Amino acid sequence: MSTAVREQCAPSEADWYVEVIYGKTFCEHKNCRRDECARRCGTETDYNYGYFKGEERPSIPDRDCLVPDGYVRLESTVKRIER
């Protein structure tokens, strides 16, 4: 579903559309030395989106509530929903 479609499907009381890309690095090896066990190490990324109400642009902590525990927000997009 495209960003434009998500904005059109926004709840009627929403003022902002927020999308975050989050990620984490992981390694299956307990005592990892990245140069020695690169095959078992990697990164994992995903995204989430949500809608916010209010006149002010959603803050960084507001956006971080869309990021699951154990992950870091890598990027976020905030768009005002025009009606």
Side-chain angles (χ1 to χ4, degrees):
M1 188 183 300
S2 73
T3 299
V5 172
R6 286 191 194 112
E7 287 180 42
Q8 291 171 0
C9 297
S12 60
E13 66 275 1
D15 297 307
W16 299 92
Y17 168 79
V18 177
E19 187 171 290
V20 295
I21 297 173
Y22 56 86
K24 69 178 179 177
T25 57
F26 65 90
C27 186
E28 296 171 355
H29 188 252
K30 204 172 198 178
N31 299 314
C32 173
R33 293 185 190 152
R34 293 228 179 237
D35 55 337
E36 293 177 11
C37 66
R39 289 185 199 160
R40 290 179 278 194
C41 297
T43 58
E44 182 179 318
T45 59
D46 206 347
Y47 77 100
N48 198 2
Y49 66 93
Y51 302 97
F52 291 82
K53 183 178 180 179
E55 288 300 313
E56 293 188 26
R57 181 181 178 91
S59 66
I60 296 292
D62 290 338
R63 294 178 234 171
D64 284 346
C65 77
L66 297 171
V67 178
D69 289 341
Y71 289 81
V72 177
R73 180 182 38 80
L74 303 173
E75 186 179 321
S76 61
T77 303
V78 178
K79 293 185 177 183
R80 182 120 173 120
I81 298 173
E82 301 296 328
R83 296 204 155 78

